[in-house]
Each structure stands twice: as C-alpha cells, then as structure tokens.
Amino acid sequence: MTRRLLQLGLVLAGLLSGPLAATAGEDVAVGPLWQDYRLTLDPGQRTEILGPLFYREEVQENDVWRKTWALPPLVAHSALDEINVTQTDILWKLISYNTYGSEYRFQLVQLFSFAGGATQTDTNVHRFTLYPLYFQQRSPIPEKNYTAFLPFYGTLKNRFSRDEIHFAAFPLWLKSWKKDVVTDNYLFPVVHFRKGDGLRGWQVWPLAGRERKELTTRTNVWGDPESIPGHRKMFVVWPFFTDHVLGTGTTNQAHSQALIPLYSFTRSPLRDSTTFPWP
C-alpha cells in the first residue's frame, strides 16, 4: 500500500509537468480515486482521476500521437502535434475551437462562428457567420468575397453544397450554381427551373415536375474523355406517382415507377422487381 501511495504521489507531481510516458512503466490503480494504465487496443497510456471526472490520454493513431485531456462534460482538448491539429470543446459542443495548421474555426452552438486561414491556393480567407442571418467572407482576392443577409439580399460561395448562391427577398427568389447546373428558384423550394450541360427541368412541388438529361461527356483529371449517363425523371402529386429512368445511354439503363399505394416496379438488365400493393 505504501508503494502504491508513493507511485500516486509521483504521478500527481508529474501530471501537468511531464508526459504520460514518464509513468507508463507500471499500471497504477487506487480504486475510483486514481487509475493509470496502458491501453490494450492501441499503443498509449491513460490516466483517470475520480472516475469520469478527469482523464488524460496519449494514444498512437497511424504513427501520430493524439494527446487528450478532459473534464467531462465541461471541457475537452485534443491535439495532434505532428500535424499541428487541435480541437477544443466546451460544454460538449456548446463552444468549439479547432485549428489545422494556419486554419482555425470558432463556433458557438452552430449559430455563431468565425473561421480563417490559408486555403490550398495560399490565400488567406476569413469567414464570419451568425447563422442563419448573416454570412460574410473576406479575402485579398475580390472574387472570393461575399456577404449575405437573410432574408433580404446576398451572395454565398462554396456554401450549402453549392458553388455559388444569389438570393433576394428569400424565399421569393434564389439562384444557385453547382458545376454546370444552374437552378432558378421561386418561392423556394416550390418552383424551380434547372438547366445545364444536356439538362433541362422544372417543378412545381409537390404537384408536378419533370427533368431530362442527355448522355454527355467530360474530360477527367487525366485528360481523357468520360461519359456522364443521362436520366429522365418526373413526378405527379409527389410522392404518390414517380417515374424515373436512370443511366440512359449506358448498358445498364434502369426504369423505376411507383403509384403509391398500388404498385412499384424496377426494370433493368441487372434487376427486375415488382411490388403490389406497395410496400
């Protein structure tokens, strides 16, 4: 017992001043007061004080050491020193601050955030967000700047899975770009008109909609042409009647149709199924 208490005193003295490896020679267990032990699934060491109230851990992941300490549920901090990555969470995601090299992001309950750092083009970009009302980005390159103030007017770039978004009096009008596809929305998301390379479509949701895309080609990253399959889609009083033809122009064209709750079917070279009554 005396030996265990001596080990405990040595660990307490070195907890904040030295690495866990300094006490990794032998496991220490003093009931729920103190636990210090080697990990079994991955190389590393873990220290726990007063059960779940505090822990400190070093674990090797893919040749990189992750160092973590936490006072659940108040605060947790982890770092990957070799690649200069840190993550800090306060009150379990209420407040978070993450860094990756020169990039950083601060966030308050998904509502308020600011971020910045160098992009892949070595251009410093700084973002400020007061979700869902205000979005701002500033960069030395004017083309990367944008400001959006919902619901009145604004522009967004590389947000919400779109390359660019313009809106005014949202949801009355919104226009977005994703690669070659341009979508004009009116009374979003009720009415839209969509066009792109070999693509045309419209919808008045949920009453009716139709979209058609022809087989097209594009040049891949190796400079070789590749085919982009086409499709035909339509719906009437969604989701009660839908009719889709996918993979047009290919050897695996698939036709699916459903009239809920009466029937649904799929026809293709690789699959043939019919269900009635649905489901």
Side-chain angles (χ1 to χ4, degrees):
M1 182 64 179
T2 303
R3 181 184 176 188
R4 293 298 185 191
L5 291 176
L6 178 60
Q7 289 175 330
L8 176 59
L10 292 174
V11 172
L12 283 170
L15 178 61
L16 299 178
S17 60
L20 290 175
T23 63
E26 184 178 355
D27 292 351
V28 176
V30 187
L33 178 65
W34 184 280
Q35 297 283 333
D36 187 76
Y37 54 90
R38 291 180 295 271
L39 302 179
T40 56
L41 298 180
D42 296 293
Q45 191 84 5
R46 182 180 176 94
T47 300
E48 297 178 358
I49 301 175
L50 296 176
L53 297 184
F54 174 84
Y55 72 84
R56 184 181 178 194
E57 180 179 272
E58 291 186 10
V59 58
Q60 189 176 23
E61 302 175 351
N62 299 323
D63 298 326
V64 177
W65 284 92
R66 177 183 293 275
K67 301 177 182 179
T68 304
W69 65 265
L71 290 166
L74 300 179
V75 61
H77 174 81
S78 65
L80 302 174
D81 293 339
E82 292 86 346
I83 55 177
N84 196 18
V85 173
T86 68
Q87 178 177 335
T88 304
D89 296 309
I90 300 175
L91 293 177
W92 197 72
K93 303 297 183 180
L94 177 69
I95 300 174
S96 63
Y97 180 73
N98 302 330
T99 66
Y100 187 93
S102 62
E103 300 180 18
Y104 62 89
R105 179 177 178 82
F106 174 86
Q107 186 168 279
L108 175 63
V109 289
Q110 304 292 326
L111 299 178
F112 169 82
S113 69
F114 60 84
T119 64
Q120 294 180 349
T121 58
D122 292 329
T123 301
N124 285 323
V125 172
H126 301 277
R127 283 182 173 180
F128 174 82
T129 302
L130 184 59
Y131 188 86
L133 300 177
Y134 186 77
F135 304 82
Q136 175 184 293
Q137 177 171 291
R138 294 295 180 264
S139 166
I141 300 177
E143 291 77 13
K144 293 182 177 291
N145 294 341
Y146 65 76
T147 303
F149 189 16
L150 278 170
F152 304 108
Y153 179 81
T155 297
L156 296 165
K157 297 180 181 179
N158 297 311
R159 303 290 295 262
F160 304 108
S161 301
R162 294 293 183 268
D163 297 333
E164 191 165 341
I165 298 173
H166 297 302
F167 67 87
F170 183 83
L172 294 182
W173 178 76
L174 181 145
K175 187 172 186 176
S176 65
W177 288 259
K178 186 173 184 179
K179 296 182 178 178
D180 65 290
V181 179
V182 181
T183 305
D184 284 283
N185 293 272
Y186 304 91
L187 290 175
F188 178 89
V190 177
V191 179
H192 82 222
F193 298 91
R194 181 172 293 164
K195 61 182 179 180
D197 186 13
L199 182 144
R200 290 291 185 275
W202 61 270
Q203 77 168 24
V204 181
W205 186 86
L207 299 179
R210 188 180 188 92
E211 182 174 287
R212 181 185 184 96
K213 182 187 180 303
E214 305 296 339
L215 177 70
T216 57
T217 60
R218 67 181 177 189
T219 303
N220 60 27
V221 295
W222 295 280
D224 300 323
E226 63 179 3
S227 298
I228 308 300
H231 62 255
R232 298 194 304 272
K233 300 179 181 180
M234 70 165 295
F235 69 84
V236 178
V237 192
W238 186 91
F240 296 104
F241 179 78
T242 59
D243 188 85
H244 295 168
V245 179
L246 306 179
T248 57
T250 71
T251 58
N252 189 33
Q253 178 174 300
H255 180 203
S256 299
Q257 188 179 104
L259 179 58
I260 297 174
L262 299 181
Y263 70 85
S264 69
F265 69 75
T266 298
R267 303 284 186 269
S268 75
L270 301 180
R271 183 184 181 188
D272 190 346
S273 69
T274 302
T275 302
F276 61 90
W278 187 92

